[in-house]
Amino acid sequence: MDKCAFCPRSATGKWAMTACNGDPADSASWRREILPLCIRCERLIRQAGDEGRLLKATGERWFGGHTVGRFETKGVGEWNKP
């Protein structure tokens, strides 16, 4: 069984997460991961919503899901260029 990525508890599953470490306007500050989480940490992050949850140990702000943040598009529309 996996351990929770944020605490010593056992993870109940893997969840889509997004982290911001730096300026939210800069796409280089954002990253996406699939992390094992316990039910308590998953609930705390989900309840934080658009505010996210600050992890004091690293200074990163974590959000549930992959629908937040600024990411550079990769190859969108490149197929129709001459």
Side-chain angles (χ1 to χ4, degrees):
M1 171 141 307
D2 289 331
K3 292 284 185 187
C4 178
F6 299 111
C7 75
R9 293 181 186 87
S10 296
T12 56
K14 293 192 176 190
W15 300 87
M17 303 293 293
T18 303
C20 180
N21 187 11
D23 180 15
D26 183 8
S27 61
S29 297
W30 295 88
R31 75 175 190 279
R32 295 179 176 154
E33 295 187 31
I34 305 294
L35 296 176
L37 297 178
C38 69
I39 195 71
R40 180 181 175 273
C41 290
E42 187 277 327
R43 182 175 31 89
L44 287 170
I45 291 170
R46 185 172 26 91
Q47 287 175 346
D50 292 341
E51 295 278 320
R53 192 86 177 171
L54 182 65
L55 183 62
K56 292 179 185 177
T58 63
E60 294 175 314
R61 187 165 294 278
W62 286 90
F63 302 85
H66 285 169
T67 60
V68 295
R70 297 178 55 97
F71 292 92
E72 296 292 324
T73 56
K74 296 178 181 173
V76 175
E78 296 293 320
W79 60 271
N80 63 357
K81 290 187 176 178

